[in-house]
Amino acid sequence: MLKKIEKSYYFLMKNLEILRCPICHEKFLLEPYALICKKNHTFNLNKKGYVNFLQTKADTEHYTKKMFEPRRRLIEAGMYLPLLNELRSRMVSGNLLDVGTGEGTFLQKIASDSSVKSVFGFDIAKDGIEMAINLEMTAFMSLSDLTNLPFDNQMFSTILNIFTPSNYSEFHRVLTENGVVLKVVPDQFYLQELREIYGLPVDYDNQAVITRFKQEFPDNQQKEIRYVFEIPENLRTDFLEMSPLEWSVSPEIKHSAKQNPPKKATIHLQLLIGKQQKRI
């Protein structure tokens, strides 16, 4: 059985043209377990099978296993199945990039689709990438900067942007002609049960995010996704811990919430589909 570093090495052998150096933007050569550009900038494949392209420190404090593990269990239990089905139906055949992949379960559920050629995911969260690399899927994972992607121009036909920030100049650069960005943003009642039990405002507005997306992609569609997920009893505590919402909550409120956690979760989302226009 191949080690993780070996799997990633062989993946890069087949997909080297997709990458470029984030420092000088030159193409890479692949040496044994290292990417080296023409200007000798070197990025090593570590033993866990991913590359750290960041020029700043990775996030090891906020998005950690403590949050990612319960979120993974809920995704695997089907909490986002209608969303995943919708995303699959909107993808364009070719290479797939997951922006802010976290612990990788969303990507894993989509990556096996027959329309997908090569799969790349990245994040700034070290724990997330180290969890993602352990999933059963053929993909290349990295710690990368959203504002300076280590990918060459026009390499991806589909970009997933699920609950994560965007950088539209980079999206336009790496998208193929007629490629799509699939951006998922929470809507007004998303996880309202979690907000209620934590005493947080339920009604919030992402219209500014939606407006900006439509400005960037005049050829766009928007679809509302709304349903209620019945939380399995053994995962109700996980629901309390799956989101950054808990970060601002006092230990006393968290303790109280665990005594009678929500039994259902409202999923209320807007799926934004932006199509890359032809370059002039």
Side-chain angles (χ1 to χ4, degrees):
M1 181 180 293
L2 291 176
K3 297 177 180 178
K4 293 172 189 172
I5 189 172
E6 294 170 332
K7 289 181 180 178
S8 293
Y9 178 75
Y10 289 124
F11 182 94
L12 290 176
M13 285 180 65
K14 298 177 181 178
N15 295 281
L16 189 60
E17 75 283 355
I18 293 176
L19 297 170
R20 77 175 194 183
C21 176
I23 298 174
C24 67
H25 300 165
E26 293 285 350
K27 299 295 286 185
F28 280 121
L29 295 175
L30 182 62
E31 300 293 337
Y33 308 130
L35 292 161
I36 305 174
C37 77
K38 293 178 181 179
K39 294 188 178 178
N40 218 35
H41 299 125
T42 302
F43 298 88
N44 294 312
L45 261 171
N46 63 30
K47 291 182 179 179
K48 295 182 179 180
Y50 67 90
V51 173
N52 184 355
F53 288 113
L54 293 174
Q55 302 304 297
T56 56
K57 187 179 179 182
D59 179 9
T60 58
E61 298 179 7
H62 300 98
Y63 290 89
T64 64
K65 287 179 70 174
K66 182 180 181 295
M67 186 190 76
F68 284 134
E69 287 177 339
R71 186 174 81 162
R72 173 177 284 182
R73 287 190 287 268
L74 284 159
I75 296 171
E76 290 177 338
M79 185 169 175
Y80 294 96
L81 184 57
L83 169 63
L84 290 167
N85 289 336
E86 191 66 40
L87 290 170
R88 288 190 196 97
S89 73
R90 302 284 185 166
M91 294 195 306
V92 174
S93 180
N95 296 328
L96 173 65
L97 175 63
D98 189 17
V99 172
T101 196
E103 45 71 44
T105 307
F106 278 136
L107 181 58
Q108 183 197 36
K109 301 292 185 186
I110 292 172
S112 60
D113 190 273
S114 60
S115 68
V116 176
K117 183 180 176 184
S118 296
V119 179
F120 289 76
F122 75 90
D123 209 294
I124 61 168
K126 185 178 179 182
D127 280 5
I129 291 301
E130 293 190 350
M131 290 175 68
I133 205 73
N134 288 321
L135 291 170
E136 288 296 323
M137 65 173 161
T138 301
F140 177 72
M141 295 291 166
S142 65
L143 289 168
S144 297
D145 181 357
L146 176 64
T147 68
N148 183 24
L149 299 177
F151 309 114
D152 212 347
N153 301 338
Q154 300 183 50
M155 286 294 168
F156 296 98
S157 58
T158 302
I159 293 177
L160 300 176
N161 191 203
I162 307 171
F163 304 136
T164 56
S166 303
N167 185 288
Y168 293 116
S169 62
E170 285 292 84
F171 289 2
H172 286 301
R173 182 180 67 78
V174 302
L175 263 180
T176 60
E177 285 192 2
N178 298 317
V180 296
V181 174
L182 304 178
K183 183 172 181 64
V184 179
V185 296
D187 207 342
Q188 182 178 3
F189 302 110
Y190 180 61
L191 304 186
Q192 64 178 356
E193 297 81 5
L194 190 58
R195 292 175 174 275
E196 287 169 351
I197 202 166
Y198 281 157
L200 301 172
V202 171
D203 56 336
Y204 64 106
D205 186 2
N206 270 320
Q207 189 55 49
V209 175
I210 295 170
T211 299
R212 173 68 193 284
F213 183 91
K214 292 182 176 181
Q215 290 170 347
E216 292 288 339
F217 295 97
D219 186 355
N220 68 76
Q221 299 176 54
Q222 180 176 346
K223 182 178 177 64
E224 182 180 23
I225 299 172
R226 185 171 180 178
Y227 58 92
V228 174
F229 175 71
E230 299 293 333
I231 306 171
E233 186 174 357
N234 63 316
L235 298 180
R236 289 172 187 167
T237 300
D238 282 340
F239 180 61
L240 297 174
E241 300 174 349
M242 66 163 285
S243 165
L245 290 173
E246 72 151 353
W247 295 351
S248 62
V249 177
S250 70
E252 292 76 18
I253 292 176
K254 291 179 186 179
H255 177 76
S256 175
K258 286 182 179 180
Q259 306 311 305
N260 187 26
K263 298 178 176 61
K264 62 181 181 179
T266 298
I267 307 300
H268 188 202
L269 309 167
Q270 293 294 332
L271 171 59
L272 308 176
I273 305 103
K275 187 176 181 180
Q276 180 82 312
Q277 294 182 311
K278 289 186 177 181
R279 294 173 171 84
I280 300 174

